[in-house]
C-alpha cells in the first residue's frame, strides 16, 4: 500500500508539474503582446533590422524591443500559433517574408492580424502601387501593408538576342515561336523555368488563371477549366516537349549551369531576379541582361504581370494600448521614401519606388535601363492573385501535377484537371469554401 | 516447468522465521526506487502526461467537448493517405536495408577480428556521428551535383540538379540512403558489442563441432543476439515512422519539391503550427503513438525480447 501511495504521489506531482507548464500563460499580467512588459515588440528579418533600429533611435521615448526572425516560410505562423496557445508573447509588429501568411494570421483560427483600415489613413494606403495591397485585403478589410512587391517581367539576354538575330517577343505567341526556334537552332537554350511558385506565379499568375482568387478569408475561387488557364497549358506544352523551358527551380544552385553556358535567352521572372539571381547566382556577366514587359496574352491589350515574392508588415490584434505606435512603425517602414529608396527590392509605395528606380536606372549591370519595364509591371499586377492559407500546397500540388506532366512528356491540359482537384482539396482542408 | 506441491501450513503452525528477509527489504526497495525512479518520473512527465494532455486536447477545445470531430477530420484529410503511403514505402525500403547492413557488417567484423576491426568500426560509425538536421543539410549538398563529391555518380544517374534529385519518387531513395548512412554506424557498434559479449565456450563448441562461419552466425550467434536485433527493429521503426527532420530540412534546399506534409509527423506539425489546430495535431500524434506501440508489441512478442535466459532454458 505504502509503495502505491508513494508511486501515486510521485505521479501526481509530476502530472501537476506538467499541467502547470502546459496551462500557464507564462506572460505578463495583461497576457498581451510584447511579453506584457509595456514595450513595443517588433519581429523583423535581418534585412529590415537596420530600418527598425533607425526608428528606435528616432523615438528615444518609445520602449521598443526588436527581435530578428528567420525569413523561412511558416516560421511566423508557427510562433504565433504557440503564442496563441500560451496566450502571451505575441509581437506587436511582425514582418512577413511570405505575404501569403497574412491569410493565415488574419483567419479566425489565428485572430492575430489587426485590420489597418482605421489605423492607417486611406490617403496613405492609396499611395501604394495599385493592386499591391490585394494580398493584404480580405472581405474589404486591409490586414497588412506591403513592404515590397515582386511583379514579373520578361528578363532577356540582349547579347544572345542580338547574336541569334531574334526580337524580344511582345505577345505570348511570339514568345512560344522564339522559344521553339531557339531550342531548335541552339539546343540547350531555355526561355523559361516552370517549377513551384516560379511556374504557377509567373505563367498562371500573369494569365489571370483562377488558381487562388481570394473572395474573403473563407471563400476562394478556383477554376482551371477557363480559357485563361488552358492557354497557359497550350503555351507551355510544345516548349516543354522541346525542353525550351526547364523544370529546375531557379533558386537551385544547379540552375547556374544555364547562365554559365550562355543558355538563358529569356526568363520571365520577378523584379528581384535582376539584382539577386542573374549576376550573383547565374553568373551572367554584366552588360547583357535587360528587362521587357511580360508578353501580352491573346485578346488582351495590356501585358499583365504575375507575382513571386515580396514582403509585408502586420500589426497585432493583441497590441492593446500599443496599437497606435505599432501602426505608426508599420506606416513608416513601408512608406518612408528615403528608407524605402535604399531597400533591396521593388518598394510597394509608389513614391518610394520612383526614387528607388533612380539608382537602378544607372546600374551598369544591365544592358539597358530596366526601370521602364519594372514600373510598367508594378502597375499591371494581374488582379485576383490573393494570399491563401494553402500556399505551400498550392506550390507542391503544381509540381505534383503540371511539373510531373512536363517531366514525363504528359498532357498539360489533362494535368490541369488533377491540379484543380488538389487545389480544391487543399482549400477545403484549410477551411475555405470553393466557389 | 517443475511444480512442487507444498503442504498448506496449518493455522496453528509456527510462523516462518522471515526476519532476515524483512531486514533486507527496505534497502532493496530503496535501490529499486533509485534505479527505476528517475525513469518513472521521466516516463510520467515526458511520456504519459503529454499523451494524456494530447488525449484531452483531441477531445476538448476551449473548454467544450468536441466529440470525435478532430479524429474524424484527421482521418478524412486527403493528405493523410499520401503521407502514410510515403512513410510506409520509406519503412519498407529502409528497414530491411538497414537491418541487413547492420547485421552483415557487425557479423563480418566479429567473424574476422584483427587490427583493422576497430578502425573499420570507427569508419562505419562516422556517417552516423552527424545526425538530425546537420545530417539532412550535409545530404542536401550530397544530392546537389554542383557541390557533391558524388557528382559523377549523380550525373551518371542523369541527375543534373538538387531539384531533380528531390522531386517525385526520388525523395524516398535519397531518404533511404541517408537513413542507412546515418543510423547504421551506431547500431553496428551496439551489435558488435553484443557479439563480443557472447560466451566464448559456446562459439568454440560450435567450431569444434565443425560448424562453418555461416552456420555459426545463423544458428548460434544470431539467436543469441536476437533481443538486440529486436531492439534495433523497434527503435528504427519508431524513428522511421516518425520521420520529420530529414524531409523538412531537405525541402529547404529545393523549396516546393517536397510537400510540407510529406510524412505523417509533418502533417501533425502542420496542423499545430500552420493551421493553429492543436486538436487535430494531438489526434494524429496519438494515432501514430498507437501504431508505434502496436509495432513494438508485435516485435517484442514475436522475438520473445523480454524472455530471460532462465525462462528460455526451461
Amino acid at each position: 500500500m505504502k509503495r502505491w501511495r508513494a508511486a501515486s504521489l510521485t505521479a501526481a506531482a509530476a502530472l501537476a508539474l506538467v499541467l502547470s507548464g502546459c496551462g500557464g500563460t507564462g506572460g505578463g499580467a495583461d497576457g498581451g503582446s510584447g511579453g506584457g512588459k509595456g514595450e513595443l515588440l517588433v519581429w523583423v528579418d535581418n534585412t529590415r533590422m537596420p530600418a527598425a533600429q533607425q526608428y528606435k533611435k528616432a523615438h528615444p521615448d518609445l520602449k521598443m524591443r526588436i527581435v530578428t526572425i528567420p525569413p523561412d516560410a511558416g516560421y511566423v505562423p508557427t510562433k504565433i500559433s504557440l503564442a496563441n496557445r500560451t496566450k502571451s508573447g505575441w509581437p506587436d509588429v511582425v514582418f512577413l517574408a511570405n505575404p501569403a501568411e497574412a491569410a493565415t494570421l488574419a483567419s479566425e483560427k489565428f485572430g492575430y492580424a489587426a485590420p489597418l483600415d482605421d489605423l492607417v489613413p486611406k490617403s496613405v494606403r492609396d499611395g501604394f502601387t495599385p493592386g499591391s495591397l490585394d494580398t493584404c485585403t480580405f472581405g474589404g478589410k486591409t490586414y497588412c501593408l506591403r513592404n515590397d512587391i515582386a511583379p514579373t517581367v520578361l528578363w532577356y539576354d540582349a547579347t544572345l538576342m542580338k547574336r541569334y538575330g531574334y526580337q524580344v517577343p511582345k505577345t505570348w505567341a511570339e514568345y512560344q515561336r522564339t522559344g521553339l526556334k531557339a531550342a531548335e537552332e541552339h539546343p540547350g537554350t531555355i526561355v523559361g523555368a516552370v517549377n513551384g511558385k516560379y511556374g504557377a506565379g509567373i505563367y498562371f499568375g500573369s494569365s489571370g488563371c483562377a488558381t487562388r482568387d481570394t473572395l474573403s478569408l473563407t471563400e476562394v475561387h478556383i477554376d482551371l477549366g477557363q480559357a485563361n488557364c488552358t492557354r497557359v497549358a497550350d503555351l507551355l506544352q510544345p516548349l516543354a516537349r522541346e525542353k525550351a523551358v526547364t523544370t529546375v527551380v531557379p533558386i537551385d544552385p544547379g540552375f547556374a549551369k544555364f547562365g554559365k553556358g550562355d543558355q538563358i535567352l529569356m526568363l520571365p521572372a520577378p523584379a528581384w531576379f535582376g539584382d539577386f539571381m542573374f549576376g550573383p547566382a547565374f553568373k551572367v556577366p554584366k552588360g547583357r541582361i535587360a528587362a521587357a514587359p511580360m508578353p501580352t496574352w491573346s485578346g488582351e491589350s495590356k501585358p499583365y504581370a504575375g507575382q513571386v515574392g515580396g514582403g509585408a508588415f502586420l500589426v497585432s490584434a493583441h497590441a492593446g494600448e500599443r496599437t497606435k505606435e505599432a501602426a505608426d512603425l508599420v506606416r513608416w517602414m513601408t512608406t518612408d521614401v528615403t528608407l524605402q529608396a535604399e531597400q533591396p527590392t521593388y518598394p510597394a509605395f509608389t513614391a518610394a519606388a520612383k526614387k528607388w528606380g533612380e539608382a537602378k536606372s544607372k546600374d551598369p549591370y544591365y544592358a539597358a535601363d530596366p526601370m521602364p519595364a519594372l514600373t510598367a509591371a508594378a502597375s499591371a499586377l494581374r488582379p485576383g492573385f490573393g494570399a491563401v492559407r494553402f500556399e505551400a500546397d498550392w506550390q507542391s500540388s503544381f509540381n505534383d501535377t503540371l511539373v510531373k506532366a512536363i517531366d514525363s512528356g504528359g498532357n498539360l491540359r489533362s494535368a490541369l484537371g488533377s491540379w484543380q482537384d488538389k487545389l480544391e482539396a487543399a482549400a477545403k482542408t484549410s477551411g475555405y469554401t470553393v466557389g | 516447468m517443475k511444480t512442487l506441491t507444498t503442504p498448506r501450513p496449518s493455522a496453528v503452525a509456527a510462523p516462518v522465521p522471515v526476519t532476515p528477509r524483512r531486514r533486507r527489504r527496505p534497502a532493496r526497495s530503496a535501490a529499486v526506487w533509485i534505479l527505476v525512479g528517475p525513469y518513472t518520473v521521466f516516463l510520467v512527465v515526458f511520456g504519459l502526461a503529454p499523451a494524456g494532455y494530447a488525449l484531452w486536447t483531441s477531445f476538448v477545445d476551449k473548454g467544450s467537448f468536441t466529440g470525435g470531430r478532430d479524429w474524424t477530420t484527421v482521418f478524412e484529410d486527403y493528405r493523410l493517405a499520401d503521407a502514410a503511403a510515403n512513410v510506409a514505402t520509406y519503412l519498407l525500403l529502409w528497414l530491411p536495408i538497414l537491418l541487413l547492413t547492420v547485421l552483415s557488417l557487425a557479423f563480418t567484423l566479429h567473424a574476422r577480428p584483427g587490427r583493422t576491426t576497430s578502425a573499420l568500426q570507427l569508419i562505419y560509425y562516422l556517417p552516423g556521428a552527424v545526425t538530425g538536421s546537420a545530417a539532412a543539410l550535409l545530404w542536401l549538398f550530397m544530392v546537389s551535383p554542383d557541390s557533391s563529391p558524388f557528382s559523377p555518380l549523380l550525373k551518371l544517374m542523369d541527375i543534373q540538379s538538387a531539384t531533380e534529385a528531390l522531386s517525385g519518387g526520388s525523395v524516398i531513395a535519397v531518404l533511404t540512403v541517408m537513413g542507412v548512412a546515418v543510423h547504421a554506424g551506431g547500431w553496428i557498434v551496439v551489435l558488435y558489442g553484443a557479439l563480443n559479449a557472447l560466451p566464448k565456450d559456446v562459439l568454440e563448441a560450435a567450431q569444434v563441432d565443425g560448424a562453418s562461419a555461416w552456420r555459426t552466425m545463423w544458428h548460434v550467434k544470431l539467436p543469441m543476439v536476437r533481443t538486440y536485433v529486436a531492439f534495433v527493429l523497434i527503435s528504427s521503426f519508431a524513428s522511421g515512422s516518425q520521420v520529420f527532420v530529414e524531409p523538412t530540412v531537405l525541402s529547404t534546399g529545393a523549396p516546393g519539391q517536397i510537400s510540407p506534409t510529406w510524412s505523417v509527423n509533418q502533417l501533425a506539425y502542420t496542423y499545430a503550427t500552420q493551421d493553429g489546430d492543436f486538436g487535430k495535431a494531438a489526434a494524429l500524434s496519438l494515432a501514430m503513438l498507437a501504431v508505434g506501440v502496436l509495432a513494438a508489441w508485435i516485435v517484442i512478442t514475436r522475438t520473445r525480447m523480454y524472455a530471460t535466459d532462465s525462462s528460455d532454458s526451461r
Side-chain angles (χ1 to χ4, degrees):
Chain A
M1 272 310 271
K2 264 185 187 170
R3 217 181 276 177
W4 270 112
R5 204 177 295 157
S8 48
L9 271 176
T10 315
L15 194 68
L17 190 77
V18 169
L19 290 183
S20 65
C22 294
T25 56
D30 60 355
S33 50
K37 290 172 192 159
E39 61 189 4
L40 191 72
L41 180 60
V42 180
W43 286 5
V44 286
D45 65 346
N46 244 332
T47 317
R48 260 41 65 170
M49 182 51 100
Q53 279 167 339
Q54 196 182 323
Y55 186 85
K56 188 181 178 181
K57 213 172 166 186
H59 297 77
D61 298 338
L62 182 67
K63 221 175 152 190
M64 187 172 158
R65 187 155 62 99
I66 313 164
V67 174
T68 315
I69 56 167
D72 306 348
Y75 179 84
V76 175
T78 300
K79 298 295 275 187
I80 299 293
S81 168
L82 294 173
N84 280 348
R85 197 73 187 155
T86 55
K87 294 189 171 44
S88 71
W90 295 285
D92 297 304
V93 170
V94 70
F95 175 75
L96 292 181
N98 178 11
E101 284 164 1
T104 304
L105 299 173
S107 70
E108 198 190 334
K109 196 107 195 164
F110 276 75
Y112 169 78
L116 301 175
D117 305 78
D118 298 331
L119 297 170
V120 179
K122 191 175 180 299
S123 56
V124 174
R125 282 183 278 131
D126 285 345
F128 283 82
T129 301
S132 65
L133 294 184
D134 281 4
T135 40
C136 293
T137 310
F138 309 102
K141 285 184 183 170
T142 309
Y143 287 86
C144 59
L145 292 186
R146 291 296 296 271
N147 175 71
D148 55 320
I149 52 173
T152 59
V153 291
L154 182 67
W155 293 106
Y156 64 93
D157 188 324
T159 308
L160 283 185
M161 280 284 182
K162 202 174 165 191
R163 193 187 298 162
Y164 298 162
Y166 300 156
Q167 295 296 313
V168 179
K170 288 193 165 49
T171 66
W172 284 107
E174 286 173 22
Y175 168 84
Q176 190 188 53
R177 275 199 297 276
T178 312
L180 293 174
K181 205 171 170 201
E184 193 192 337
E185 294 174 358
H186 310 281
T189 300
I190 58 158
V191 295
V194 193
N195 194 303
K197 61 182 172 183
Y198 297 97
I202 290 165
Y203 292 98
F204 288 89
S206 82
S207 178
C209 174
T211 60
R212 49 188 279 172
D213 290 8
T214 42
L215 307 174
S216 71
L217 274 169
T218 52
E219 292 165 281
V220 66
H221 175 57
I222 300 168
D223 186 0
L224 304 191
Q226 289 178 346
N228 52 9
C229 301
T230 50
R231 68 185 178 188
V232 185
D234 295 344
L235 166 82
L236 295 174
Q237 186 82 64
L239 290 172
R241 192 176 52 234
E242 301 307 324
K243 301 204 183 304
V245 287
T246 176
T247 55
V248 175
V249 68
I251 56 162
D252 187 323
F255 199 90
K257 69 172 188 274
F258 296 115
K260 285 180 201 157
D262 282 353
Q263 289 174 313
I264 307 173
L265 180 66
M266 293 185 274
L267 192 66
W272 55 272
F273 264 46
D275 287 341
F276 295 95
M277 298 307 283
F278 284 101
F282 307 158
K283 311 289 178 204
V284 178
K286 77 172 187 180
R288 291 176 59 153
I289 296 297
M294 289 285 273
T296 307
W297 291 97
S298 143
E300 291 178 348
S301 54
K302 189 176 172 184
Y304 280 103
Q307 299 182 58
V308 189
F313 278 98
L314 262 78
V315 169
S316 167
H318 308 280
E321 58 195 24
R322 291 181 299 279
T323 306
K324 213 167 161 288
E325 292 163 352
D328 186 61
L329 169 66
V330 166
R331 185 195 53 73
W332 181 79
M333 293 281 273
T334 52
T335 63
D336 186 85
V337 174
T338 320
L339 172 77
Q340 283 284 325
E342 285 174 8
Q343 76 137 15
T345 42
Y346 198 99
F349 198 63
T350 313
K354 206 173 164 195
K355 184 91 178 144
W356 179 86
E358 285 173 11
K360 198 66 49 210
S361 295
K362 294 174 203 147
D363 190 336
Y365 178 73
Y366 298 102
D369 177 7
M371 276 319 287
L374 292 182
T375 313
S379 58
L381 298 175
R382 177 72 82 169
F385 189 79
V388 286
R389 291 192 289 276
F390 54 93
E391 163 88 15
D393 284 328
W394 176 75
Q395 286 186 45
S396 57
S397 61
F398 177 79
N399 283 358
D400 275 351
T401 52
L402 270 293
V403 174
K404 202 179 255 181
I406 290 176
D407 282 337
S408 60
N411 186 290
L412 295 189
R413 271 206 185 210
S414 350
L416 281 179
S418 317
W419 194 25
Q420 166 92 24
D421 295 342
K422 282 183 185 271
L423 283 175
E424 278 189 26
K428 283 175 188 162
T429 307
S430 304
Y432 286 100
T433 46
V434 181
Chain B
M1 193 171 137
K2 280 181 193 171
T3 50
L4 289 172
T5 317
T6 48
R8 202 180 264 211
S10 69
V12 288
V16 183
V18 287
T19 330
R21 287 180 72 190
R22 266 193 192 156
R23 230 182 247 160
R24 273 202 308 271
R25 200 175 266 171
R28 209 170 59 179
S29 155
V32 167
W33 273 108
I34 288 166
L35 288 171
V36 180
Y39 173 77
T40 314
V41 171
F42 271 90
L43 180 70
V44 171
V45 176
F46 299 110
L48 298 179
Y53 184 62
L55 195 65
W56 169 269
T57 311
S58 72
F59 285 108
V60 177
D61 185 28
K62 289 173 191 152
S64 53
F65 184 64
T66 54
R69 189 190 67 197
D70 286 332
W71 288 83
T72 45
T73 328
V74 164
F75 287 112
E76 282 167 2
D77 194 319
Y78 77 104
R79 294 169 291 186
L80 183 61
D82 287 345
N86 286 337
V87 173
T89 318
Y90 170 61
L91 281 174
L92 278 174
L93 271 173
W94 174 64
L95 270 185
I97 297 176
L98 175 78
L99 209 60
L100 214 65
T101 312
V102 169
L103 285 174
S104 56
L105 290 181
F107 281 119
T108 314
L109 276 182
H110 191 248
R112 297 197 178 280
R115 262 186 239 162
T116 49
T117 309
S118 49
L120 279 175
Q121 240 183 307
L122 182 70
I123 290 168
Y124 293 152
Y125 179 72
L126 272 181
V130 188
T131 56
S133 50
L137 266 177
L138 182 76
W139 278 86
L140 194 59
F141 287 109
M142 297 278 210
V143 296
S144 306
D146 302 291
S147 52
S148 175
F150 305 109
S151 56
L153 186 70
L154 290 168
K155 280 179 183 150
L156 205 69
M157 291 157 74
D158 206 24
I159 293 171
Q160 305 289 331
S161 62
T163 308
E164 286 170 30
L166 297 172
S167 59
S170 17
V171 179
I172 288 181
V174 172
L175 285 175
T176 303
V177 177
M178 184 176 154
V180 171
V182 168
H183 294 98
W187 290 129
I188 290 170
V189 173
V190 169
L191 210 62
Y192 182 71
L195 287 167
N196 264 344
L198 292 181
K200 296 266 182 301
D201 49 350
V202 176
L203 300 179
E204 277 167 15
Q207 214 173 2
V208 169
D209 285 349
S212 65
W214 171 257
R215 281 184 79 91
T216 312
M217 184 208 90
W218 193 249
H219 294 290
V220 181
K221 290 181 185 175
L222 191 59
M224 286 166 86
V225 295
R226 66 160 202 286
T227 50
Y228 292 88
V229 178
F231 182 64
V232 173
L233 253 182
I234 293 173
S235 300
S236 303
F237 183 88
S239 70
S241 60
Q242 291 173 34
V243 61
F244 176 84
V245 174
E246 291 86 347
T248 307
V249 176
L250 284 179
S251 67
T252 60
Q257 306 315 304
I258 305 174
S259 162
T261 55
W262 189 88
S263 75
V264 184
N265 225 359
Q266 284 181 298
L267 180 58
Y269 182 73
T270 302
Y271 285 146
T273 60
Q274 304 304 300
D275 302 347
D277 201 326
F278 286 83
K280 276 156 70 179
L284 187 55
S285 306
L286 286 171
M288 281 175 70
L289 178 69
V291 172
V293 169
L294 181 72
W297 179 75
I298 291 172
V299 176
I300 287 169
T301 49
R302 285 291 163 96
T303 57
R304 294 181 300 141
M305 189 174 163
Y306 289 122
T308 58
D309 289 341
S310 54
S311 64
D312 260 3
S313 58
R314 277 175 204 167

